[in-house]
Amino acid sequence: MPKPLSPENAALAFLTPIRQTRQNPSGLSGIAAQTISTPTGKIALWQRGAGPTVLLVHGWSGSHTDLDAFVEPLVAAGRRVVGMDLPAHGCSDGEAASIPDLADGIFHVVRAIGPVTGVVAHSVGCAATGVALQNGMELARTVLIAPPSRYADFARAFARQAGVDPEALLTALRRRDIDMDSIDYPAIAPSLKSSALVIHSTDDQVVPFVNGQEIARAWPGARFIAREGLGHRRILADPDVVSASVSFLTN
């Protein structure tokens, strides 16, 4: 049997995404990557279109290609679309990252390309967007697709899968100066000023449906759309999800 991970090694594994290398999605094909420099390394960007800017933010172990389906409709609606690879993902620098690290990356991108009027975010990208908003990033509208509620819950789930005591993993993460308990979307949502649309599928096996419901209830004025049969990733290509998101961002 493989030797169990130590809490420190489990913490590193928890913070290390699987890097996707596919580049130039259909919506941004033929467009060369650009980079911006941040205190923690370079972040890769792709952009297309003209008009108010919408930023696409992928989830954990993903890349900018995950949100391909949103590019053409947003460009057609008169938006400049920017896709990014989060820190430690895709073509961006880094090997490991926490949600605060991802949030810092988003914050620096928005500052470099802004003003940004809206974001479409998926999964952990939603959590990072929330932290960036909490830290002062300004957005008129935010679309959250399959958002997780609490970082610590996912760390505990990862620990159980890895055969590590969950509290020992949280302690190891805190030793890395990651305040797991502070990344609590329902707790921070009431203070956020951006208008929000939350979309979640009832059969999501990665981020339970109740997470999206809880965040939408806590976010003042948020709209919530429940979908069925789209899981955690198929939801990103669903025409009705794309249409509702584009309408929310542009009307």
Side-chain angles (χ1 to χ4, degrees), residues 19-86:
R19 192 179 292 268
Q20 303 294 326
T21 57
R22 185 170 70 91
Q23 300 177 29
N24 290 334
S26 58
L28 298 172
S29 60
I31 298 173
Q34 305 169 15
T35 59
I36 66 164
S37 295
T38 76
T40 56
K42 292 182 179 179
I43 293 179
L45 306 174
W46 293 257
Q47 59 181 307
R48 185 175 164 201
T53 300
V54 174
L55 178 66
L56 307 180
V57 180
H58 63 79
W60 189 251
S61 291
S63 76
H64 67 286
T65 66
D66 293 350
L67 291 109
D68 282 4
F70 294 85
V71 177
E72 291 286 354
L74 283 166
V75 170
R79 294 301 185 266
R80 171 196 182 207
V81 180
V82 178
M84 68 177 291
D85 282 347
L86 288 166

Side-chain angles (χ1 to χ4, degrees), residues 91-103:
C91 297
S92 295
D93 287 349
E95 297 298 328
S98 65
I99 285 180
D101 295 329
L102 305 183

Side-chain angles (χ1 to χ4, degrees), residues 3 26-27 37-38 44 48-49 69 101 107 121 128 143 148 165-166 177 185-186 190 195 198 200 235 241:
K3 183 178 179 180
S26 58
S37 295
T38 76
R48 185 175 164 201
D101 295 329
F107 194 95
V143 176
D165 177 68
D177 295 323
Y185 226 143
S195 297
V198 182
H200 217 131
I235 195 169
V241 169

